[in-house]
Amino acid sequence: MKRWVALLSLAATWLVASSAVALPRMTLTAGSRCSNCHVNPQGGGLRNDMGFYAMAQAGMATWEQVGWQKFHDLSDNQAMDGRLTYGFDYRGVVAKLGAPRWGSDGQVVEPPRIPVPMQLTPALAYKINDWLSATASVNPLWWVHSYPGQSPADGWLQIKPAIGLPSLRLGMIQPSFGIRHDDHTLLLRRNPKALGQPLLPPAYADPGAEVNWEPTHWLSLDAAAVWGHNLRLADPQAIAADKPVFSGRLTLWPQVLDWGINSWVGASALVADGSTVLGGHVGVGKNYWGTVIGEAVWSKTRGNREILSTLVQVSHAIKDWLVLEARWERSQSTQPGQSDGEATSYVAGLQWMPLPNFELRPEYRWLDTKDYLLAQYTLQFHLWL
Amino acid sequence: MLNDSDHPRHSAPCHRRQFLTRMGALAGAAAILPGLGGCETAEMHTAPPKKGATLNFDVAVDPFKPLAAVGGFVAADIEGTAVLLVRTAAKEVLAFSRACPHAFLDMAAAPASKYDVAKGVWVCGWHISEFKADGSAVAGPASPSGKLDKFAVTFDGAKGKVTL
Ligand code: FES
């Protein structure tokens, strides 16, 4: 038992490469799929045993070395002979949230810097038998702070007959589209004329089903149908009434093994109530070194509103516990009879893991829209199991 | 494929003193970053509100028809200033700035924003903050110190005027 745990731990250590949390770039510096380390095949959230062992190793120091082992005294994240997997994510940010404005005295008023608790999500997955499992998570902070379309919980039954065959998820799910980023502020998924309004909310879920299929190591396919209630709450202009939403994603995963190069390139589509969202994503990474990621999203919604957004992100792993990341984004919107929207964003920062399962992310953010410019330092923190 | 021995996955573990030194160094680096050019800034690309600018409205005429019923609200611009008009009683319309003091988002763009007639409060639908008629926040993340900018309104039950 101890031996396979050690072997698994070692394998996971090699697989996950340098990062703290579920990030798209991890697949590029490790050459592995999100599903290798996460219960959700889309990645993010609850980690499986591989994900647990990998993250329990990665940090500037171990909890034991700094004398805090009692806070980190776990040998695994499983119970009931491995049938039950448990975990949690706690995330928060200190930032100036929102936009500056004119005050009544004619001076510019900056939004206050506030601590925002984003997520406190306990999660469970239970393996009912070899091909059936149940997963659920809830975010009580949703009742404290949430944005339209965000769901307080998700959960699904997953039928996975065998590796290489399609698996089916049924329940409150998020349809797969493009890259699943962990940053909730991406322009890519927002309307540049109403930045508080997400077009595709980052942590939303609607009732429905999705088929995920990885027929070979270089191809994955996802197709979903959900009842778009939360998606309507996010952007009522895109979806006027609760209606079915259909989405599909295809990703190719070319690798040059001898050079340690991993990549993916793919396309997504989502249609609902006469609105269409199309996306393309591409990423290249070198094992344990760095990544370049690009993504573009175009949407046309009712009222002929069109939005085109583009993202380019680079990262470099200085250490396994310290990663430099920079991102550029631009988003433009047009709609007949209305003024155009435009926003550009630059983000540069560090992903720093002082200890395993604990990440600090100091960032500098520059956001320039048609109405205002806001540049600020922010700090995200993330504690998880 | 991944066992690239030229690039060991984990660096050597450090000990408590090393850890604290590194923490200190990184925290120090983070602390001096804001000093590098004083890079925090906020600028407006729009013109400031024009003191004394007015807007006349008639609840029988578009786009002000939602104000015909108590609880209705309308987003309006008065010479570039984003204003929210809310019908709160038979002879009362209130005018607030549309930027919520919590996260400064445009309240009219939030699908869940509404005037709660029973409670007599305006609800910012982004994160559900509630505001009294004088603009002060009484519940939600904008409370207790948040306050909406309020503008003067005259209203006779059918027609009215907002003055910045
Ligand atoms: S922006 Fe109004 S409550 Fe947060």
Side-chain angles (χ1 to χ4, degrees):
Chain A
M1 167 78 177
K2 279 265 185 299
R3 191 162 161 194
W4 77 259
V5 167
L7 282 173
L8 201 58
S9 168
L10 193 67
T13 298
W14 281 105
L15 275 170
V16 174
S18 49
S19 179
V21 292
L23 297 165
R25 66 172 176 73
M26 291 177 68
T27 60
L28 294 171
T29 50
S32 66
R33 303 287 174 87
C34 309
S35 56
N36 281 26
C37 289
H38 289 274
V39 170
N40 184 346
Q42 294 173 319
L46 184 62
R47 290 132 202 102
N48 58 24
D49 46 357
M50 285 277 261
F52 172 83
Y53 292 124
M55 287 295 100
Q57 311 276 328
M60 192 170 83
T62 67
W63 290 74
E64 193 177 7
Q65 284 164 344
V66 296
W68 296 334
Q69 177 66 7
K70 60 176 182 282
F71 301 117
H72 197 256
D73 198 14
L74 284 165
S75 54
D76 61 30
N77 64 338
Q78 299 198 321
M80 302 170 77
D81 288 331
R83 281 187 177 278
L84 185 72
T85 303
Y86 53 88
F88 75 88
D89 284 89
Y90 173 62
R91 275 173 200 267
V93 65
V94 181
K96 292 176 185 174
L97 212 62
R101 67 189 169 107
W102 286 113
S104 47
D105 56 356
Q107 298 292 311
V108 177
V109 181
E110 284 190 46
R113 198 188 307 275
I114 51 172
V116 185
M118 296 194 294
Q119 185 188 17
L120 174 59
T121 313
L124 287 175
Y126 184 71
K127 197 172 168 190
I128 298 162
N129 58 36
D130 283 349
W131 52 269
L132 183 64
S133 62
T135 302
S137 74
V138 63
N139 177 18
L141 290 181
W142 181 88
W143 283 275
V144 178
H145 186 281
S146 63
Y147 45 82
Q150 187 175 0
S151 172
D154 63 6
W156 59 85
L157 276 176
Q158 185 173 14
I159 301 164
K160 190 169 186 178
I163 290 172
L165 290 180
S167 67
L168 175 67
R169 290 193 303 144
L170 287 164
M172 279 296 282
I173 59 166
Q174 179 177 142
S176 297
F177 186 94
I179 303 168
R180 185 166 174 165
H181 300 270
D182 80 330
D183 190 321
H184 292 180
T185 67
L186 292 185
L187 290 183
L188 206 58
R189 292 192 173 6
R190 293 193 285 169
N191 175 358
K193 278 197 81 172
L195 286 174
Q197 186 176 38
L199 174 67
L200 295 174
Y204 90 100
D206 269 323
E210 181 167 76
V211 175
N212 307 106
W213 189 22
E214 296 175 359
T216 70
H217 69 277
W218 52 266
L219 175 68
S220 66
L221 298 157
D222 311 278
V226 298
W227 187 246
H229 170 72
N230 281 325
L231 210 54
R232 172 180 69 76
L233 293 181
D235 188 354
Q237 189 173 346
I239 305 177
D242 291 8
K243 292 256 174 88
V245 175
F246 301 98
S247 79
R249 181 176 66 177
L250 178 149
T251 307
L252 301 172
W253 304 73
Q255 288 180 303
V256 186
L257 300 181
D258 290 345
W259 296 355
I261 300 287
N262 311 297
S263 66
W264 30 250
V265 55
S268 312
L270 184 143
V271 290
D273 195 20
S275 294
T276 305
V277 189
L278 300 176
H281 55 281
V282 59
V284 182
K286 178 157 171 53
N287 287 341
Y288 324 122
W289 196 85
T291 61
V292 182
I293 289 172
E295 188 174 3
V297 175
W298 172 85
S299 65
K300 185 163 187 175
T301 52
R302 293 171 315 107
N304 280 326
R305 185 192 74 189
E306 284 187 56
I307 302 177
L308 176 63
S309 305
T310 321
L311 167 149
V312 177
Q313 181 171 294
V314 293
S315 75
H316 170 54
I318 300 164
K319 297 276 187 186
D320 61 313
W321 46 265
L322 190 64
V323 177
L324 270 175
E325 192 165 82
R327 181 171 83 222
W328 167 86
E329 282 184 279
R330 181 152 176 80
S331 182
Q332 289 164 289
S333 72
T334 57
Q335 185 165 9
Q338 299 213 11
S339 60
D340 294 348
E342 210 172 285
T344 306
S345 156
Y346 300 91
V347 177
L350 288 175
Q351 290 165 16
W352 171 29
M353 282 180 68
L355 295 165
N357 302 86
F358 174 51
E359 185 204 12
L360 290 170
R361 200 183 289 187
E363 287 176 325
Y364 178 66
R365 292 170 167 260
W366 171 283
L367 176 63
D368 199 2
T369 76
K370 274 197 130 175
D371 294 333
Y372 64 87
L373 162 70
L374 181 65
Q376 60 169 317
Y377 292 94
T378 61
L379 180 67
Q380 288 187 59
F381 44 93
H382 184 199
L383 193 65
W384 74 94
L385 175 65
Chain B
M1 81 178 156
L2 298 166
N3 296 358
D4 185 346
S5 54
D6 292 341
H7 298 88
R9 162 72 177 81
H10 280 288
S11 49
C14 70
H15 293 283
R16 188 176 188 135
R17 176 172 297 194
Q18 253 179 313
F19 171 78
L20 292 173
T21 313
R22 286 182 187 179
M23 283 286 279
L26 282 165
I32 60 166
L33 276 177
L36 298 176
C39 302
E40 290 207 316
T41 183
E43 292 167 19
M44 296 302 298
H45 300 327
T46 57
K50 280 197 181 144
K51 274 267 175 224
T54 57
L55 171 78
N56 293 306
F57 62 91
D58 181 338
V59 300
V61 178
D62 270 334
F64 301 105
K65 283 183 177 169
L67 297 176
V70 171
F73 68 93
V74 162
D77 284 296
I78 306 178
E79 299 200 27
T81 298
V83 171
L84 178 79
L85 304 183
V86 190
R87 178 83 181 261
T88 53
K91 293 249 169 117
E92 186 178 62
V93 166
L94 300 178
F96 299 113
S97 149
R98 288 220 298 276
C100 174
H102 169 233
F104 284 46
L105 299 174
D106 181 346
M107 297 187 294
S113 286
K114 62 175 183 188
Y115 181 69
D116 186 325
V117 181
K119 285 166 104 177
V121 293
W122 166 255
V123 181
C124 171
W126 289 115
H127 313 107
I128 316 301
S129 284
E130 296 177 358
F131 300 90
K132 286 196 299 185
D134 68 355
S136 58
V138 287
S143 65
S145 58
K147 192 159 188 186
L148 294 172
D149 291 340
K150 194 177 170 189
F151 304 108
V153 183
T154 54
F155 181 57
D156 64 6
K159 293 181 181 175
K161 183 163 106 174
V162 186
T163 307
L164 296 186

